[in-house]
Amino acid sequence: MAILKAIVSGETDPVVLSELAEGRARDKIPEMQKSLQGRISEHQQKMLKHQLGHIESLTALIVDLDADIKKNRIHKLGNRSFG
């Protein structure tokens, strides 16, 4: 996600972008640098920005719903009578 955010922010240097790789992707930095060469138009940059915003919004919604589910489970368990 960090690479995409950097592209949205205007970073175009493949070396700089590839250094943002995480996890197992770091094992493939030379290949990544080749893949990151090229151009991205303003329109593509803008669309990517909106897509990333949408993903972040959906992620926040999922976190919120998960908290509600957990809260309701605890509440329902607390109202049960065992015995």
Side-chain angles (χ1 to χ4, degrees):
M1 193 78 99
I3 294 173
L4 296 176
K5 288 181 179 183
I7 291 170
V8 166
S9 296
E11 183 59 62
T12 59
D13 184 339
V15 174
V16 173
L17 292 169
S18 66
E19 289 300 321
L20 298 171
E22 299 174 353
R24 294 188 325 183
R26 293 204 56 79
D27 297 336
K28 300 177 182 179
I29 286 181
E31 294 91 342
M32 192 177 303
Q33 288 174 353
K34 288 179 187 176
S35 298
L36 291 167
Q37 292 176 2
R39 294 176 13 163
I40 184 167
S41 70
E42 279 186 46
H43 174 72
Q44 291 168 320
Q45 205 173 7
K46 187 174 188 174
M47 293 303 296
L48 182 56
K49 179 180 179 180
H50 289 297
Q51 291 166 344
L52 289 175
H54 188 70
I55 290 168
E56 289 173 354
S57 175
L58 291 173
T59 300
L61 177 61
I62 290 168
V63 168
D64 187 49
L65 291 172
D66 281 346
D68 285 349
I69 290 168
K70 186 176 180 179
K71 180 180 174 184
N72 284 334
R73 281 187 185 158
I74 291 170
H75 178 72
K76 286 181 182 178
L77 287 173
N79 288 337
R80 279 193 204 169
S81 58
F82 297 99

